[in-house]
Amino acid sequence: MHTVVLGTTGTTPADVIAVARGNARVELSAEAVTALAKAREIVDALAAKPEPVYGVSTGFGALATRHISTELRAQLQRNIVRSHAAGMGPRVEREVVRALMFLRLKTVCSGRTGVRPEVAQTMADLLNAGITPVVHEYGSLGCSGDLAPLSHCALALMGEGDAEGPDGAVRPAGELLAEHGIEPVELREKEGLALLNGTDGMLGMLLMAIDDLERLYKSADITAALSLEALLGTDKVLAPELHAIRPHPGQGASAANMAAVLDGSGLTGHHQDDAPRVQDAYSVRCAPQVTGAGRDTIAHAALVASRELASAVDNPVVLPDGRVESNGNFHGAPVAYVLDFLAIAAADLASIAERRTDRLLDKNRSHGLPPFLADDAGVDSGLMIAQYTQAALVSEMKRLAVPASADSIPSSAMQEDHVSMGWSAARKLRTAVGNLGRVLAVELYASTRAIELRDGLTPAPASAAAIAATRAAGVEGPGPDRYLSPDLAAAESFVRDGGLLEAVEKVTGPLA
């Protein structure tokens, strides 16, 4: 099994994906353990002083004016976890919770939080045992970090609340810890607060969305190329010199990918005698411009994610010179903005893909294809309702593209009077990414069927490979009406899991 070793710095997006999705083991480096111990000495020294220090010897948020006596401080740390574990609604996915836990542990290991090494080790032990705290959909405003979600994780460290075991069953966390020989932690000064004050949930979901979208955008270049081919369009608009004079890198990459897929096609641009066209429709001709703009948005989001991943987000924070200072680094605005940007880009990509699908099904615009790609139009409905489903998905994605980060709602008696809503932006982006995979699956289904209906014309080698692999994945080709939902589900899995991309890259080589 792959192992991720946490130091004080250097965690990568691949590390997060490996732990969240690949169940990689987590180990603490000697460097991290040393940094943890050093920062803890600073916190212990401050705790022994009579002067109040926020998070060490005071209350929290709007209650920070109260100085807490020594004998009540352990109770204070327990209470902040218990009271903040106030989430509601459906459970959050296992991979999201694992990302959340790992990223919090990453920041703890930076030596900037003042958490003891044994607490950090217990966090790693839970991940390695496959114990996943129950975290709920609602509770985070994306400021002071993802408070409620992180609190539910910290609650499990204390042996309280519910968690999912490695067998998938939800049970009391204390029972699961005992079964795996893990001792619940007794939190000390600042530790409860340090376990809650991070952007880890929204960052984890951002990193996983980027991982998914990078694959889906390459798949979108493939489905756009297949649709262009099925519509007997021209590939001249993909010429590199045309994209060089508008040098957006994503646009050039998408055009190059489409050209690679269409290389050697017997359908593109040579069969327009019955209905000559000066230009293809925007949804075909402008595919690289739209998909490319989304690629550039992903690149910007990845830059922001890399900065956040390199951050040590906590309040207060232990500085290298030994000061413990309050700050506002837990505000999720940088992450929230790009989560919303990605939802906008995904919605627009889905929209243009749906327009291509509709064009393939409309006998007045498909240049010789049967209505709805049906076997016997009128008796058969073909893919008419598959496009309805695609349109419904696109419509929802447009609603999901409304930014969460433009909203704010005050909390904590107006102490926390401006919040990022980054968690909400991340949650809706996950839905949007899932829908995008489904939309592209419908375009794949329609375009491959349409190409097969072009009797006597030979598709490009990469297109032929895509069609063959799609059929091997359980997505049937042209024929009389049948139960479509299983075909669409198979196409969705094929696109989402990278099967389409893999099949094409065996012919074209790696796409950009």
Side-chain angles (χ1 to χ4, degrees):
M1 183 180 290
H2 180 59
T3 298
V4 173
V5 180
L6 277 173
T8 57
T9 60
T11 302
T12 67
D15 292 335
V16 180
I17 299 300
V19 173
R21 292 179 160 170
N23 299 313
R25 288 186 56 79
V26 180
E27 293 182 2
L28 311 185
S29 69
E31 172 200 26
V33 172
T34 299
L36 284 159
K38 183 177 178 181
R40 186 64 209 180
E41 289 175 2
I42 295 170
V43 171
D44 285 340
L46 288 172
K49 292 182 177 181
E51 297 84 9
V53 177
Y54 177 70
V56 176
S57 53
T58 70
F60 309 110
L63 302 176
T65 54
R66 179 177 172 182
H67 184 255
I68 307 299
S69 60
T70 304
E71 65 274 11
L72 293 176
R73 290 178 187 170
Q75 181 181 339
L76 172 70
Q77 300 302 317
R78 286 195 302 272
N79 285 353
I80 190 175
V81 172
R82 289 169 175 166
S83 65
H84 285 45
M88 295 181 72
R91 285 178 57 197
V92 170
E93 303 87 353
R94 182 178 184 271
E95 67 177 16
V96 172
V97 180
R98 285 185 62 84
L100 179 74
M101 295 168 66
F102 175 71
L103 286 166
R104 196 68 221 144
L105 177 57
K106 180 271 303 179
T107 288
V108 164
C109 286
S110 70
R112 297 284 168 258
T113 69
V115 169
R116 289 169 293 150
E118 50 265 42
V119 175
Q121 184 58 56
T122 304
M123 296 170 76
D125 291 342
L126 255 70
L127 284 165
N128 294 338
I131 297 172
T132 308
V134 170
V135 172
H136 298 279
E137 180 84 13
Y138 304 106
S140 175
L141 298 179
C143 201
S144 287
D146 291 315
L147 286 174
L150 283 163
S151 296
H152 282 278
C153 294
L155 198 66
L157 288 176
M158 294 164 48
E160 300 180 19
D162 294 325
E164 178 186 305
D167 61 354
V170 174
R171 297 166 51 196
E175 291 182 12
L176 288 167
L177 266 63
E179 283 184 7
H180 289 84
I182 300 171
E183 191 72 26
V185 299
E186 180 71 29
L187 298 175
R188 288 171 46 180
E189 290 94 343
K190 195 184 178 300
E191 289 180 332
L193 188 61
L195 295 178
L196 317 185
N197 239 319
T199 55
D200 309 291
M202 63 184 91
L203 175 58
M205 286 185 274
L206 173 60
L207 290 166
M208 287 187 284
I210 290 169
D211 184 56
D212 292 335
L213 287 170
E214 287 176 341
R215 182 168 54 255
L216 287 174
Y217 267 71
K218 291 180 184 180
S219 299
D221 290 334
I222 296 169
T223 60
L226 292 171
S227 291
L228 183 153
E229 195 169 23
L231 290 165
L232 307 179
T234 177
D235 57 357
K236 291 182 179 180
V237 296
L238 304 176
E241 58 269 25
L242 293 175
H243 300 278
I245 62 174
R246 194 193 191 197
H248 294 289
Q251 177 179 323
S254 283
N257 286 348
M258 289 181 66
V261 174
L262 294 171
D263 186 38
S265 173
L267 286 82
T268 54
H270 306 298
H271 305 280
Q272 299 182 13
D273 294 338
D274 294 335
R277 279 168 276 161
V278 176
Q279 300 178 119
D280 291 314
Y282 283 10
S283 60
V284 177
R285 191 182 357 142
C286 301
Q289 285 76 10
V290 173
T291 311
R295 286 170 165 272
D296 292 341
T297 303
I298 294 169
H300 172 63
L303 175 62
V304 172
S306 70
R307 292 168 177 163
E308 193 72 7
L309 190 57
S311 304
V313 177
D314 193 15
N315 180 47
V317 67
V318 181
L319 293 172
D321 61 7
R323 287 180 294 141
V324 176
E325 297 285 359
S326 293
N327 65 91
N329 284 344
F330 48 73
H331 199 290
V335 182
Y337 291 168
V338 293
L339 287 162
D340 280 334
F341 295 167
L342 291 175
I344 292 168
D348 199 40
L349 177 57
S351 179
I352 197 171
E354 184 274 331
R355 289 293 80 205
R356 290 191 293 263
T357 303
D358 182 66
R359 184 166 290 271
L360 288 165
L361 304 188
D362 184 352
K363 69 181 182 63
N364 297 310
R365 295 179 291 142
S366 66
H367 308 288
L369 291 169
F372 303 104
L373 306 182
D375 186 65
D376 184 3
V379 175
D380 294 309
S381 294
L383 304 190
M384 178 191 294
I385 307 305
Q387 185 268 331
Y388 280 35
T389 300
Q390 189 186 43
L393 290 163
V394 172
S395 184
E396 181 179 48
M397 290 180 71
K398 291 174 181 178
R399 295 190 295 273
L400 293 168
V402 176
S405 58
D407 188 26
S408 178
I409 189 164
S411 56
S412 192
M414 294 300 288
Q415 175 71 5
E416 299 169 8
D417 58 354
H418 185 276
V419 296
S420 78
M421 303 307 296
W423 173 273
S424 299
R427 295 306 295 163
K428 69 184 182 66
L429 177 59
R430 282 182 68 82
T431 302
V433 170
N435 283 355
L436 177 60
R438 297 180 184 103
V439 168
L440 296 178
V442 176
E443 183 181 19
L444 174 68
Y445 195 13
S447 60
T448 54
R449 179 186 279 212
I451 290 172
E452 288 177 307
L453 289 170
R454 295 291 189 187
D455 293 333
L457 299 177
T458 304
S463 301
I467 294 168
T470 301
R471 301 291 169 256
V475 184
E476 295 189 32
D481 280 356
R482 56 182 170 270
Y483 178 27
L484 281 189
S485 189
D487 275 11
L488 295 174
E492 177 192 351
S493 297
F494 184 58
V495 171
R496 182 191 63 231
D497 298 338
L500 173 63
L501 181 60
E502 181 181 356
V504 168
E505 287 188 328
K506 286 179 180 178
V507 177
T508 63
L511 296 181

